Amino acid sequence: MFPVFLLLMEQITTSLAISSYHTNSRHRPTLVFLHDSLGCIELWRDVPQQLAEASECNLLVYDRQGYGQSPAFPEAYTRDNTYLEKEADVLDQLLAARGISDAILFGHSDGASIALIAAAKYPDRIKGVISEAAHIFVEEETLAGVREAVLAYRTTNLRERLQRYHGAKTEALFSAWTDTWLSDSYRSWSITSFLPQIHCPVLVIQGTEDEYGTLAQVEGIVNGVQGPVQSFLMPAVGHTPHKEATEIVLERSAAFIRQCAERLY
């Protein structure tokens, strides 16, 4: 992975950990990677770099506030049902600060939900979306997966493994994720109303054995967006296809990115 540095975001009065790469080729889009609810730059491993090199694209990867090497959540931090929408707004501010108007987003889990919202709200900057294991509404399967994660956090070394990447922020980010998703008020959460506003190309990647969601999520995205859409279902793969079947995901994603680039330039 490329060096990580902090970019001061005056619009949101904080700074974010950024890792970036620029190709020598002109007129190439920028891939932006959006991590999941427990992720960060480092946990992507070398997937972003491999995909950027394979597709000859620029690259931007960042830690959202509260994750990885970015600053911690503010004191008395709470989430409501619009927290992913707010993260899409932060993404737009980040792209504006970097002068990026040709982004192709690769989002995983929560990051994929953020990518879809951003594509709906900011079509002038977002030119394509790779949605991996996105959530567009709450399913019982999702809640069951979160409950299992809570149990693992209490009874296994999951806490220690997360601390390697998030340090003292681990407890806060884990609680923010689980408390939000398991709250009664979150049962009604949905981003399906954003989907008809998406006109850029979308690639939907989902493992058939995803422990956090069913294929109803894929069907909802495919039927909801208005632009070109492809679905790519991966048999015997769970919630993290880019880790479980890296080469296949890279190959399919690179082909999709090339199609997007042809539309742009």
Side-chain angles (χ1 to χ4, degrees), residues 67-256:
Y67 297 83
Q69 298 183 51
S70 284
F73 296 132
E75 292 186 18
Y77 173 75
T78 59
R79 286 178 173 174
D80 58 23
N81 286 19
T82 65
Y83 84 94
L84 294 176
E85 296 171 39
K86 294 172 183 175
E87 292 292 353
D89 296 338
V90 172
L91 170 61
D92 180 66
Q93 294 170 15
L94 174 58
L95 296 179
R98 302 281 291 184
I100 296 171
S101 60
D102 56 357
I104 297 176
L105 308 180
F106 189 118
H108 173 234
S109 194
D110 271 14
S113 303
I114 295 168
L116 292 169
I117 297 169
K121 296 185 69 173
Y122 304 107
D124 290 343
R125 297 191 192 281
I126 311 303
K127 306 304 181 184
V129 171
I130 300 173
S131 167
E132 183 187 48
H135 308 291
I136 60 171
F137 48 76
V138 178
E139 294 184 284
E140 182 54 41
E141 288 80 0
T142 311
L143 301 180
V146 175
R147 293 188 192 102
E148 289 186 12
V150 171
L151 181 61
Y153 191 77
R154 293 171 178 169
T155 61
T156 72
N157 68 342
L158 176 59
R159 184 198 310 261
E160 289 72 25
R161 288 188 284 122
L162 291 173
Q163 286 175 337
R164 298 173 192 168
Y165 305 99
H166 305 291
K169 299 185 289 289
T170 300
E171 188 71 30
L173 72 86
F174 190 84
S175 295
W177 171 51
T178 57
D179 291 352
T180 300
W181 276 87
L182 296 178
S183 67
D184 290 339
S185 61
Y186 208 68
R187 300 297 177 94
S188 62
W189 173 83
S190 172
I191 60 169
T192 55
S193 62
F194 287 100
L195 300 180
Q197 304 171 52
I198 299 176
H199 296 273
C200 68
V202 176
L203 171 62
V204 185
I205 299 174
Q206 183 93 0
T208 61
E209 305 304 315
D210 191 329
E211 57 272 35
Y212 288 97
T214 73
L215 298 184
Q217 304 284 346
V218 176
E219 295 168 2
I221 298 169
V222 169
N223 294 328
V225 302
Q226 297 300 300
V229 61
Q230 307 170 31
S231 63
F232 185 48
L233 304 181
M234 303 185 67
V237 171
H239 189 59
T240 54
H242 68 273
K243 291 182 179 179
E244 300 172 53
T246 303
E247 293 303 321
I248 297 173
V249 170
L250 288 173
E251 181 180 357
R252 187 60 182 260
S253 298
F256 172 79

